[in-house]
Amino acid sequence: MSAMRGLTVFIADIRNCRVRELEEKRINKEMANIRSKFKGKKKKGIHWIYIYIYIYIDNLKNIYIFFLETNLNGYQKKKYVCKLLYMYILGWEIDFGHLEAVNLISSQKYSEKQIGYLAVTLLFHENSDLVRLVVNSTKKDLDDMNEINNCLALHAIANIGGREMAESLAPDVHRLLISPTSKSFVKKKAALTLLRLFRKHPDVMPVTDWADRIISIMDDYDLGVALSVTTLVLAFAQSYPLEYAGCYEKAVNRLKRILVDRDYSLDYIYYKVPTPWLQVKCLRLLQYYPPPEDTKLRSDISELLQIIMANSQDAPKNVQHSNAQNAVLFEAINLAIHLDSNSTICAQAAQLLGRFISSKETNVRYLGLETMAHLAACVDSLEPIKRHQETIMMSLRDKDISVRRRGLDLLYSMCDMSNAKVVVSELLRYLQVADYAMREEMVLKIAILAEKFATAYSWYVDIILQLISTAGEQVGEEVWYRVVQIVTNNEELQEYAAKTVLNYLGSPQYNETMVKVGGYILGEFGHLIANYPGCSPIEQFQAIHAKFNLCSLNTRALLLTSYVKFVNLFPEIKGQVLAVFNQYRYVLDSELQQRACEYLTVSTMPTDDMLQTICEEMPPFPERESTLLLKLNQKIGDTEDKRVWFIGGKEANLERQEGLKRMASLRMNSTESTPSQSSPKQATTPTVSTPTAPVQQQQQPQSQLAVDLLAFDDLTLGNNTTTSTPTTTTTTTTNIPQPVTPSLPPPQNVPLAQGYELGYNRSLYTSEGVLYEDTQIQVSIKSEYHGSHGRLAVYITNKSMASFENVRFHATSSHPETLSIQLTGDSPKQIQSAGGQGCQLLQVECHDTFNDTPSFYMERHGADILHLKLPIVLTKFQEPITTMDGASFFKRWNQIGGAPRENQVIITCQVPIQLDNVRNLLQGFKFGLLIGVDPNPNNFVGAGVIDMGASGGKVGALLRLEPNLEQNMYRLTVRTPSETVSEQLRILLERPLTFGA
């Protein structure tokens, strides 16, 4: 770049501009020059054109744009693009030159390719339409044997990080990571690129398929690669802990090699601490899994923690040494708390933490408070922490707000019955001077603690009303809702609450939340204090109404409801209240006006029966979980890494502890299920199939009632005009092979395989083909249908180098009463590696209209589950009609009529319409195309009969498709006797007609 003299002169000119006007003038001049160079003479005088060529590779549309180059050489393009980038960095808008930057990426020279990638990462964003132009060049550089080109491509992917890049290039990045020929610096960049893509688009990457290969790289001899891969595994394990459970032992072994064997390079010693980043990552990774059952593993972890605790006793030489040492130490303490909060190591840690929270260094105080909050959330006894209660309270007044937040979390976690009053009182005092950024969270925590540890109702009411009075607008709706619930549900509390809230309303200070609480409580329970001095009905009404005009519209509406309850409770103040109702009959707000009119009408009725019925005392609220806790958890939120514990004491972490126990049991079951599934005794266990004949006999009366009112029986083919009798139906069913009953129930909550839609959508209108394919497996399908029955053969091809063991299949239908599916034949238990193939047969039967396709599961190795959708839709059970003339077609077309049995849609095609492809598509959906029926030869007219068995009957389907070649649009019209079937057929046809077959 230093050799580009024109660029150097341009930068010097910009720096010499004294005012913005001169800079703008120089920028505009240079832009005009660059634009003229890019649009200059073309070779052979041909104008600048773009030719779009659509190339289909595995049905993925890649757009290549070739353009005729100008006379500029690579050096000149690089120079002009650099000038554009400099302008862009200065803040000027660049609206041209993007394609020249893309062109530089394809250059064979490193300097030009580097500038091209730099321009792409700066000028493009993940949603840019031009990103697709870069994908193929980037893929080519990923496949290149030149490591420098690999790194440039990885940088671009990580910086742009769009969904399209993730879908297209993630497998290539993964290949670079696991390749034994990749250099260490390429592996590091590949791991971090995958991490970036996973954080942005976790749903498009098959990370579960990569688990074993990625985990194995954690043992890499290069500590930089090990650190990058451990960071990647740390992210994957948080979302897929079972699939990445093998990382646990790898992390322990790596820590053992660093701390015990001292197996590390001198390049990774940071101020006498060996590779502290890798130690912290491994210690954090272990916290996402339950404590191991293996005694050897537990012993190794205990030894490692003792070594880290011993190393922390060394006096730090400088700040950097202290930071590295403390980072490892605090993560080790967190792991010790996670494994056993009552161990001797945790007892030692509690003493250390007491010293850390009094440290002069802000970072050490912060980490000490956070780690002590973790200890308080897990330990059985809080006494070691309560010894430092005064120091912790002092942290609320620390000069750093982050330390104040951690002090608040610790006080919240360490609060119990013995110190609740002290802690809550301190928090209320601090609330008056607290930062506004902390007040809402503090209000929630004080309200939760007051409710949780209240020893007397009066104390709870005093604390909450004082909280509302102090915090004011920072009190959320959840707080006063909860107060009302508790007061309503406790009779002993109602009188005291009414008297106390009236005292607060008597003060000149305005607080809208207090007005809401007072309006509700006095409206419900004001009669309990009406005989006390200063609490007469008129005084209650005046205390509330004095704040009425200051309130928002919603609060005024609530107070009007309180007033109508006053009319019912205190007839002596009826006149004053009716005056308010009469005044608000004419306000502009419709809610206030309606309430005032209705309340006035009810209050002035001849009898009070209606009023008393409406104003009955509110019944107790049902017991429910406090919404304050839910709100607090939303306020806390998660950071980049998921929390391994929750703020709020041991009770708040019970659910997580149960989750870890469930994970441990699942891991135990997955390891124990492998030998049991392959045992000969289980393999020879006979399976029981449920007979279907009785069910069909019960359905016979329904089939007799399913009369075709529009004589659509005439639409059937010549050899199929006879209707099946119940006897033949039963015979047909018994001739079908006996279904295979799976030994275990089908999997639950398994997400669909990423990218399954491609093969699924194609298979909707074909009888055989590839249903799904990835780097390890190919799933193909072959099907045949006769009437309402169908048979499918699913072929599983192993593409990996390892055999598939303990293979099991499941097929389920969400509505078996409309579509039943069963496995038949013998299921393969093992599929050999490198091209081995297995086949699973399935039998389906259509009973009625359905709109959800069945699911197919393949389980291998006892845990890895592939979930696909089978392409079984209504048109699969359709017989095409090709022998109908125009008169018969339009007769039946008119008999059906328009909506709702007609379903019509206008479709804008995303690809050029090709009539031959459309014809093949309609025939693939089993519509018989009628030639010569429509006067326009470009229009398509089709007919068919859908067989839905004895219960659903046969439904005739008519179709008209009218292409508009000039506008590249269709008008699709489907008519059937059933509006549900018409809608389903329209939905099935709309997508392939929009995006092309």
Side-chain angles (χ1 to χ4, degrees), residues 799-839:
K799 298 171 60 178
S800 67
M801 301 307 296
S803 62
F804 295 160
E805 303 290 343
N806 305 314
V807 178
R808 292 193 294 117
F809 298 97
H810 304 275
T812 61
S813 173
S814 58
H815 298 285
E817 69 276 7
T818 59
L819 180 73
S820 59
I821 183 167
Q822 295 172 329
L823 305 180
T824 62
D826 295 329
S827 300
K829 302 299 182 184
Q830 182 188 45
I831 301 177
Q832 297 296 327
S833 60
Q837 190 177 79
C839 177

Side-chain angles (χ1 to χ4, degrees), residues 400-433:
D400 192 294
I401 187 172
S402 61
V403 175
R404 296 198 293 271
R405 287 184 182 276
R406 298 291 80 80
L408 173 62
D409 292 341
L410 178 52
L411 282 174
Y412 176 71
S413 297
M414 64 181 285
C415 187
D416 60 10
M417 295 296 295
S418 63
N419 62 356
K421 290 187 176 181
V422 176
V423 171
V424 171
S425 299
E426 177 64 26
L427 292 178
L428 277 173
R429 281 195 296 272
Y430 176 63
L431 181 62
Q432 301 175 8
V433 296

Side-chain angles (χ1 to χ4, degrees), residues 281-293:
K281 296 289 184 182
C282 290
L283 292 169
R284 171 62 66 89
L285 182 58
L286 297 179
Q287 297 175 51
Y288 287 103
Y289 290 93
E293 300 293 335

Side-chain angles (χ1 to χ4, degrees), residues 351-362:
Q351 298 176 359
L352 283 174
L353 294 174
R355 190 170 75 245
F356 286 142
I357 63 176
S358 303
S359 173
K360 294 181 179 180
E361 294 185 26
T362 303

Side-chain angles (χ1 to χ4, degrees), residues 187-189 191-192 195 223-233:
K187 288 185 177 182
K188 288 190 286 187
K189 295 178 187 298
L192 297 178
L195 177 62
L223 290 179
V225 175
L227 174 60
S228 301
V229 173
T230 303
T231 305
L232 178 64
V233 171

Side-chain angles (χ1 to χ4, degrees), residues 405-548:
R405 287 184 182 276
R406 298 291 80 80
L408 173 62
D409 292 341
L410 178 52
L411 282 174
Y412 176 71
S413 297
M414 64 181 285
C415 187
D416 60 10
M417 295 296 295
S418 63
N419 62 356
K421 290 187 176 181
V422 176
V423 171
V424 171
S425 299
E426 177 64 26
L427 292 178
L428 277 173
R429 281 195 296 272
Y430 176 63
L431 181 62
Q432 301 175 8
V433 296
D435 302 81
Y436 280 94
M438 294 177 58
R439 283 197 173 190
E440 187 175 354
E441 183 181 345
M442 285 193 68
V443 168
L444 288 172
K445 290 182 175 178
I446 293 172
I448 292 171
L449 293 178
E451 178 184 345
K452 188 175 181 181
F453 300 112
T455 55
Y457 289 126
S458 57
W459 180 80
Y460 172 77
V461 170
D462 291 338
I463 292 297
I464 292 298
L465 293 182
Q466 184 181 349
L467 174 66
I468 294 174
S469 177
T470 304
E473 296 180 355
Q474 277 73 39
V475 178
E477 299 288 327
E478 299 81 6
V479 175
W480 82 267
Y481 288 168
R482 189 61 179 168
V483 174
V484 166
Q485 291 175 15
I486 293 175
V487 172
T488 304
N489 289 8
N490 294 275
E491 293 184 7
E492 304 88 345
L493 193 57
Q494 294 166 0
E495 180 179 332
Y496 183 81
K499 191 171 183 179
T500 308
V501 77
L502 181 59
N503 292 334
Y504 275 99
L505 289 176
S507 66
Q509 181 182 2
Y510 168 71
N511 186 322
E512 185 159 347
T513 306
M514 185 68 73
V515 175
K516 293 178 184 177
V517 176
Y520 187 96
I521 292 179
L522 292 179
E524 290 291 332
F525 312 113
H527 63 282
L528 299 177
I529 61 172
N531 297 325
Y532 289 99
C535 303
S536 63
I538 189 62
E539 288 174 313
Q540 294 184 35
F541 172 73
Q542 290 173 349
I544 297 176
H545 198 60
K547 309 288 194 303
F548 187 88

Side-chain angles (χ1 to χ4, degrees), residues 751-767:
L752 286 163
Q754 298 296 330
Y756 83 96
E757 298 93 343
L758 182 64
Y760 170 80
N761 290 329
R762 183 176 59 245
S763 300
L764 292 177
Y765 50 86
T766 58
S767 60

